[in-house]
Amino acid sequence: MTEVDLDHALAVARRALDAAAAAAMKHYDVGVKVETKPDRSPVTAADRESEVAILEVLQSAFPDHSILAEESGKQDKAPHARWIVDPIDGTRGFTRGGKFWGALIALELDGEIVVGAMGLPALGDQYWARKGGGTFKNGVARRVTAIDALEDATVSLGEMGPLLSPPHGPRVTDVVRTAASARCYGDLEGVAMVLDGLADVWLEHGVQPWDLAPTKILLEEAGGRFTTFDGGDSIHLGHAVGSNGLLHDRVLQMISRS
Ligand code: IPD
């Protein structure tokens, strides 16, 4: 594996979260013009300025690392080390004065996510993890729940349109109908629910690598699991099952194609 000091990388990622929060909060407080991207999703000056602020921090610390960022795309440099950045996940909620939005930042080394950081500035919360170091929220270690029966579990759902679409839609519905409860805050709050012990399973579909990149290590270092709907470990396929680990195989059996 490419040599990078993970504690240093994590400290840089958290500094980048702070820079992103400062850039976005300026607009959040006064309101911002909403533009529409070709895929009909919203974007604002806050997304762009947050991304510039994040990249400035990352690139001054790691000038040779590659970048994959939602608004500015790819910068291919080192083949083994790449930062994956979403400057504001939950832009739609951000533009409407919601609280569940913020930056997602992850470091991928040799194809493996080894550092992840996620900020929700309107709530004053930051989550972070590095490989082997545990997951923290605002400095306090996080562990996933110990609920081991789906019938007793709360399921946190991401974007409902893609989740309910064929072919997996009916199987997602089965999971929801089997669980004790389902909640649908979406965006980065979807996984935060599991990290906060408010949910035991998280399902997401139809998203991009930057929407998922840090969630994998945040879950794993909190004692949970992250896979695709098919049980693979990629953050690049646009779908995710996150869980406390204990419920993972049961949920995969219910929703995977095989
Ligand atoms: C969006 C969110 C949303 C999903 C969209 C994404 P963004 O991210 O993750 O839940 O449905 O496809 O684009 O644009 O707010 O970073």
Side-chain angles (χ1 to χ4, degrees), residues 37 41-42 70 86 88-92 159 187 204 206-207 211:
K37 292 200 272 194
S41 67
E70 178 174 13
D86 186 340
I88 298 183
D89 186 41
T91 301
R92 204 176 291 279
E159 193 64 62
D187 300 317
E204 186 63 275
V207 295
D211 297 310

Side-chain angles (χ1 to χ4, degrees), residues 114-199:
V114 293
V115 165
M118 169 170 105
L120 289 95
L123 296 174
D125 290 335
Q126 278 191 4
Y127 300 74
W128 64 83
R130 69 141 171 90
K131 192 174 179 190
T135 293
F136 294 84
K137 176 186 182 184
N138 303 333
V140 178
R142 300 302 320 174
R143 293 300 291 175
V144 292
T145 63
I147 288 179
D148 62 0
L150 186 55
E151 289 75 4
D152 299 326
T154 293
V155 177
S156 170
L157 299 160
E159 193 64 62
M160 290 306 296
L163 275 172
L164 292 181
S165 293
H168 50 269
R171 301 190 285 255
V172 169
T173 305
D174 278 350
V175 173
V176 168
R177 294 175 73 170
T178 304
S181 176
R183 293 289 180 263
C184 191
Y185 299 112
D187 300 317
L188 71 188
E189 184 61 15
V191 71
M193 292 276 288
V194 177
L195 299 172
D196 286 343
L198 299 172

Side-chain angles (χ1 to χ4, degrees), residues 25 33 72 81 97 104 138 141 166 174-175 197 238:
M25 283 306 279
K33 179 168 168 259
S72 57
L104 298 171
N138 303 333
D174 278 350
V175 173

Side-chain angles (χ1 to χ4, degrees), residues 14-29 46 49-51 53-54 87-88 94 101-103 105 119-122 124-126:
R14 290 184 53 204
R15 272 213 313 276
L17 280 189
D18 290 338
M25 283 306 279
K26 271 194 317 208
H27 293 284
Y28 182 69
D29 290 338
E49 288 169 27
S50 173
E51 185 160 307
I54 292 169
I88 298 183
F94 170 84
W101 57 269
I105 299 171
L120 289 95
D125 290 335
Q126 278 191 4

Side-chain angles (χ1 to χ4, degrees), residues 198-248:
L198 299 172
D200 317 290
V201 175
W202 164 58
L203 300 177
E204 186 63 275
H205 209 290
V207 295
Q208 301 296 322
W210 45 79
D211 297 310
L212 298 176
T215 67
K216 182 173 193 296
I217 192 152
L218 287 168
L219 284 164
E220 289 173 349
E221 289 295 327
R225 251 179 99 185
F226 171 104
T227 67
T228 64
F229 270 36
D230 301 315
D233 67 359
S234 177
I235 54 121
H236 295 281
L237 300 181
H239 38 93
V241 180
S243 81
N244 65 1
L246 300 172
L247 297 166
H248 210 93

